[in-house]
Amino acid sequence: MKWKQQIFGMKAYQPGKPMEEVKKEFGLDEVVKLASNENPYGFSPKVKAFLNNENTNHAIYPDGYAQNLRTAVANHLGVKETELLFGNGSDDIIAIITRALLYPGVNTVMATPSFSQYSHNAEIEGAEVRKVPLKDGKHDLKAMLEAIDENTSVVWVCNPNNPTGTIVHHHELQTFLQNVPQDVLVVLDEAYFEYVDSPDYQNSIPFIHEYPNIIILRTFSKAYGLASFRVGYAIANEEVIAKLDPVRAPFNNTILSHKVAIVALEDQEFIRSCKEKNENGKKQFVRFCEKHHFHYYPSQTNFILFEVKADSDVVFNEMMKRGFIIRSGNALEAPGYIRVTIGTEEQNEKFLSLLEEVLTEQGVFA
């Protein structure tokens, strides 16, 4: 068969082990997943109430234009309905962007380490991938600008960045956008937008009119707790949206996901509560790191990447045996580190206690 040459040797995205599989493998009654940056508090009680009473007809196709959800999101953000694009999670929109703008002969610029799906999709389309190392865990925007040339088509800025949780300051981002050529699309991936509390991070939506070559990605999978419903969206000027929309699959969200996202959007008090609890949980990890003199990246997200002074894979496996699924830094270009989703206060306390036990066994603590 006439396969694309660039897919040879590629590996599918490897999610963490399912919780039920971990329970069975290690004989555990309870497993806590702190690997995929999901909301440990689930979704809004209003969503739960809706689901308990919903009677959607699932035999018909959804509205491909997502009109009701489009109106709700536009009103919430203060943008035009024609400035929005909806996807089957942000991953879908990343794929739409790469399919529309990347191909052999052009290149794309991104930070490393950052979200793996930027490079993965770019490689499928046969574009050259230019990775610029982070500087102190943050995007090196100066070096990224230097990597742009006349063949650059897309630049990716993950803000806050995954896996470090760091942000690009607002004035730095503005200076960067002023210097990026107007025929290069800048993708601002803001999957963790709702968790940020830094005064150096401001709403980037006004930029879509000042810089028509940007597109902002956000999602209902993180703070809203709707990861399994797969709803992501993009915000950009009407011309960019109009060019990308024909690339989108005709029914890329479900009827139920449209309805659930609308209900979730209405409960901003739930989002505020989750953000506050997340900040308190983050402090638990910071205290642990500072107590043991472990380096950590100042996170503006619901996860934290920190040093363990031991083999990341060993720590990952030992914590899994004890009922906690996390991410090894070896899989994130951060050997000697682990990335942990910030859980509930009780989950964090138990996790850190068991981590001390593991690190003592590994000889980190005398």
Side-chain angles (χ1 to χ4, degrees), residues 12-22 25 31 33-38 316 320 324-328 331 339:
Y13 180 78
Q14 297 295 319
K17 282 189 176 183
M19 294 168 68
E20 291 305 316
E21 184 179 329
V22 174
E25 181 176 350
V31 169
K33 185 184 176 191
L34 300 178
S36 301
N37 311 330
E38 295 134 333
F316 162 78
M320 188 160 55
F324 282 90
I325 307 173
I326 58 172
R327 287 299 300 272
S328 166
R339 193 194 71 189

Side-chain angles (χ1 to χ4, degrees), residues 94-153:
I94 291 167
I96 289 169
I97 291 168
T98 56
R99 189 177 182 191
L101 285 158
L102 297 181
Y103 46 86
V106 302
N107 67 70
T108 181
V109 176
M110 63 196 68
T112 185
S114 194
F115 188 45
S116 62
Q117 293 303 290
Y118 309 147
S119 58
H120 182 81
N121 282 279
E123 289 166 7
I124 290 172
E125 299 304 330
E128 177 193 351
V129 176
R130 297 183 175 181
K131 295 185 176 182
V132 177
L134 298 175
K135 190 174 182 179
D136 299 324
K138 301 177 182 178
H139 282 65
D140 187 345
L141 296 182
K142 184 174 182 290
M144 290 177 71
L145 276 174
E146 292 171 354
I148 296 171
D149 63 17
E150 66 277 7
N151 293 318
T152 303
S153 183

Side-chain angles (χ1 to χ4, degrees), residues 15 24 31 47 56 61 81 106 114 153 155 172 184 186 197 230 234-235 288 290 329 342 352 365:
K24 184 177 180 181
V31 169
V47 171
T56 300
Y61 285 108
E81 293 184 5
V106 302
S114 194
S153 183
V155 176
E172 295 173 337
V184 175
V186 179
D197 70 346
R230 311 306 300 127
I235 314 144
F288 176 88
E290 292 182 347
I342 296 164
L352 292 170
F365 304 139

Side-chain angles (χ1 to χ4, degrees), residues 72-250:
V73 173
N75 290 340
H76 176 70
L77 299 177
V79 300
K80 298 177 183 177
E81 293 184 5
T82 48
E83 294 173 332
L84 295 170
L85 179 73
F86 290 90
N88 185 31
S90 296
D91 298 296
D92 186 27
I93 299 177
I94 291 167
I96 289 169
I97 291 168
T98 56
R99 189 177 182 191
L101 285 158
L102 297 181
Y103 46 86
V106 302
N107 67 70
T108 181
V109 176
M110 63 196 68
T112 185
S114 194
F115 188 45
S116 62
Q117 293 303 290
Y118 309 147
S119 58
H120 182 81
N121 282 279
E123 289 166 7
I124 290 172
E125 299 304 330
E128 177 193 351
V129 176
R130 297 183 175 181
K131 295 185 176 182
V132 177
L134 298 175
K135 190 174 182 179
D136 299 324
K138 301 177 182 178
H139 282 65
D140 187 345
L141 296 182
K142 184 174 182 290
M144 290 177 71
L145 276 174
E146 292 171 354
I148 296 171
D149 63 17
E150 66 277 7
N151 293 318
T152 303
S153 183
V154 181
V155 176
W156 308 84
V157 178
C158 190
N159 191 29
N161 185 51
N162 180 5
T164 56
T166 55
I167 58 169
V168 173
H169 289 193
H170 188 75
H171 70 276
E172 295 173 337
L173 179 60
Q174 187 162 30
T175 300
F176 178 73
L177 294 174
Q178 288 169 351
N179 288 281
V180 174
Q182 291 192 359
D183 65 345
V184 175
L185 181 71
V186 179
V187 183
L188 305 178
D189 188 346
E190 299 181 351
Y192 300 93
F193 171 82
E194 288 82 7
Y195 285 110
V196 181
D197 70 346
S198 171
D200 295 316
Y201 186 98
Q202 297 177 32
N203 192 346
S204 59
I205 290 177
F207 281 155
I208 69 171
H209 301 296
E210 190 173 354
Y211 307 102
N213 60 321
I214 73 166
I215 186 168
I216 302 161
L217 309 188
R218 293 187 185 171
T219 182
F220 284 92
S221 295
K222 303 303 181 184
Y224 286 94
L226 300 178
S228 70
F229 287 95
R230 311 306 300 127
V231 184
Y233 61 96
I235 314 144
N237 76 67
E238 292 170 295
E239 286 188 19
V240 170
I241 297 296
K243 284 287 194 300
L244 291 174
D245 201 32
V247 184
R248 176 183 59 82

